[in-house]
Structures are given as structure tokens and as C-alpha cells.
Amino acid sequence: MIYQLRHTTRYTYSAPVTLCHNEARMLPRELPWQRCEASQVSITPRPAVRSERSDFFGNRVMYFAIQDIHSSLEVTVRTRLETLPRPPLPGAPAGDWQDCRDILARAAERRCLQARQFRLDSPFIRCHPRLAAYAAPSFPAGRSLLDAVIDLNRRIHEEFTYDPGFTTLATPLMDVLDERRGVCQDFAHLAIGCLRSQGLAARYVSGYLETLPPPGQAKLVGADASHAWLAVFLPGWGWLELDPTNGSLPGEQHIVIGWGRDYADVPPLNGVMSGGGEHTLDVAVDVIPDDAASRRSA
């Protein structure tokens, strides 16, 4: 699929801001299944300083500083990209999920060494016996790791309710588990916590998901949204993405911006400022298929 991606974030402040320093993670990653053209970035007011770097996880980070007095900030990123099918699922693995856990813990192979950091606690996710207990029905002895993680993904989708009014960034993960409700970010954190509590490596993926309007209706501008899912490390194969919000394995409609230990590593926009008072935040995302171009590349 070929998409035109547009993400606009606007802050409006109740008092003037005299200086701000910001980092934006809104530039898509280049991946074997995701080919990106150069992004067009518009920032108002015009920043005095702007640069791009890669963070510890290889995500693209745009830094900018605004040194003029301002009462609002707007950042818009436009990117044209092509998504391709993910790699096919691995064949029947040798050994069960416990074998995979033990291989991950002791193997000196480079990918295993790099994956081990994603077994550790992170700002939003702590291993917990209750998370291990929730995951346990999906992880009986002798089951393959692939079958176990797909079953956990299915159970979260079926047993939890999508409720955008229930949680905020400050809502503890145990509250999500108790109340069986939340949003995509919560479900990704929950699945990661369950997997890490089983001794496995899992990371948080931030991106976008194309949404489709009801039949016969036009797609609304700004109707798409940021999305979150996760990936689990399968020793001997690599990282398998899972989308517990939709009970699916991500495909061409899932666009990757970046990944990290949890949301704290990949917020779309964060920073510090002097002044500003209270603020309002408006976000608009559009994932627009370029149908004609997609047909030509097929």
C-alpha cells in the first residue's frame, strides 16, 4: 500500500511562552516492509534551532527550539510512504516457549543480547505476579512460543473493552487489569507486562493505523489516530508484532513510527518550556491511501 501520512499537533497556551525546547518522534522509520520518502515538516512559530538524530532505539528524533514569545505551537509532518507485507510467520519451532525463554536468557547470539533489555522493567511497565497469572492460561508447558503469544493477543482482545474515557497516562497498569478496559496504549502495555513477567522480551511499538469509514460514507479529515501495539522476540526468528486492540497481527495498514520499552520512550512530542500556563492540545492524523499509486506498484 502507498499512503500519504499527515500528523498535526497543536498546543494553545493560556499565557505567553518565552522559550521552549522540544523533541518530536513523528518521522516514520525506514524498514524492510516500510519505504519512506522525505518528510515535509512545518513548525509554527519558526524554530531558531532544528536538527535530527537517532535515539538509542534507532528512532528518528527531530529536535527544535523556539526562542520567540508565542501563545501557540503547531507541528505538522507529511510523509509519503509504501508499506509491504511483513515477513511470513516462522514454521513449527523446535521446543516449547520455556525453551525459548531459556535460550533468550543465556544465548550469546547478538540479537538475543540486544533483546534482553526488553525483559526489564520500564517506566510504565513493571513485572508482577498478577500479570504472570493472567498470562498463564496462554502459556502451558509444552506450547510453542508462537502459539502462546497469539493466544494471549486474542484473549486481551476478547476480554478487555476499548474505553477511551477510562484511562490517562497516569492510570496504573493494575487498574487496567482489574477493570478490563482501556485503549490501545494500555493493551500494549498490558501484553508487554504479561510477556516480561514470563521472562520474555517484548517492546512497545508506536505508529498509525489506517481506519476505514462505514460503507458508502466519505472518510473524514483527521479521523485517523495514533496507534500502539507491541512486538515479542522469538529466538532464532526475530520480532513478531501483535495488535491486542484488534486481536490481529499487524499488516500493511500498520505504519511504524518507532519503538522502545514503553510509551515513555516514543511520545510523539515532548519538551520543556518557560511560561505558558495551562494549555489545550489538539491532534489530527490522516492516513490517506494513494489508490492509484498502489495499483501501479502492484
Side-chain angles (χ1 to χ4, degrees):
M1 292 290 295
I2 295 176
Y3 290 104
Q4 301 282 351
L5 173 66
R6 179 174 59 203
H7 182 163
T8 296
T9 299
R10 179 179 178 84
Y11 285 95
T12 304
Y13 308 112
S14 62
V17 175
T18 57
L19 173 68
C20 69
H21 296 270
N22 304 275
E23 285 190 343
R25 288 171 172 81
M26 301 163 65
L27 302 170
R29 289 186 71 129
E30 185 77 21
L31 299 167
W33 58 88
Q34 184 169 285
R35 302 168 182 168
C36 307
E37 297 183 6
S39 296
Q40 299 176 338
V41 181
S42 173
I43 303 173
T44 306
R46 184 183 181 92
V49 179
R50 176 176 149 184
S51 61
E52 183 180 334
R53 65 178 178 86
S54 294
D55 67 12
F56 176 81
F57 302 104
N59 304 314
R60 300 171 64 189
V61 182
M62 179 176 59
Y63 163 78
F64 64 93
I66 297 174
Q67 301 175 357
D68 297 325
I69 296 175
H70 56 284
S71 58
S72 64
L73 168 65
E74 183 173 300
V75 181
T76 297
V77 177
R78 296 178 174 86
T79 308
R80 186 175 186 269
L81 53 79
E82 180 181 12
T83 59
L84 304 168
R86 264 52 167 189
L89 292 177
D96 59 22
W97 72 269
Q98 292 162 306
D99 294 329
C100 292
R101 178 193 60 193
D102 295 341
I103 290 171
L104 175 63
R106 67 172 185 265
E109 191 265 331
R110 180 179 179 182
R111 291 196 299 176
C112 285
L113 291 172
Q114 292 174 335
R116 279 181 204 156
Q117 64 186 305
F118 295 101
R119 299 172 67 203
L120 305 176
D121 289 346
S122 55
F124 284 105
I125 305 170
R126 298 283 188 272
C127 293
H128 196 283
R130 291 183 57 209
L131 294 173
Y134 178 78
S138 297
F139 288 83
R143 194 175 209 177
S144 75
L145 178 56
L146 178 61
D147 289 342
V149 298
I150 289 177
D151 187 66
L152 177 64
N153 193 58
R154 175 195 60 80
R155 288 176 52 220
I156 294 174
H157 172 65
E158 293 177 355
E159 297 172 9
F160 286 72
T161 300
Y162 185 87
D163 183 353
F166 175 68
T167 59
T168 69
L169 275 176
T171 302
L173 189 54
M174 290 301 107
D175 288 0
V176 176
L177 180 61
D178 288 337
E179 300 298 327
R180 297 291 202 269
R181 59 185 59 245
V183 294
C184 58
Q185 171 188 293
D186 302 308
F187 302 152
H189 282 165
L190 175 69
I192 292 168
C194 289
L195 293 167
R196 290 180 185 169
S197 296
Q198 295 287 351
L200 300 167
R203 66 191 184 192
Y204 181 95
V205 184
S206 175
Y208 307 105
L209 175 64
E210 180 198 3
T211 58
L212 302 176
Q217 296 186 22
K219 186 168 185 173
L220 300 177
V221 174
D224 295 306
S226 298
H227 192 49
W229 58 99
L230 69 140
V232 60
F233 184 72
L234 307 183
W237 187 76
W239 290 94
L240 175 68
E241 294 172 85
L242 304 162
D243 182 353
T245 303
N246 295 291
S248 64
L249 302 182
E252 293 182 59
Q253 292 176 307
H254 289 73
I255 297 170
V256 176
I257 294 297
W259 55 66
R261 298 165 299 167
D262 59 31
Y263 174 84
D265 289 329
V266 282
L269 183 65
N270 66 343
V272 295
M273 64 185 182
S274 176
E278 297 182 353
H279 69 268
T280 59
L281 170 64
D282 296 295
V283 177
V285 175
D286 292 295
V287 181
I288 306 167
D290 189 333
D291 295 329
S294 295
R295 286 194 297 271
R296 288 197 299 271
S297 66

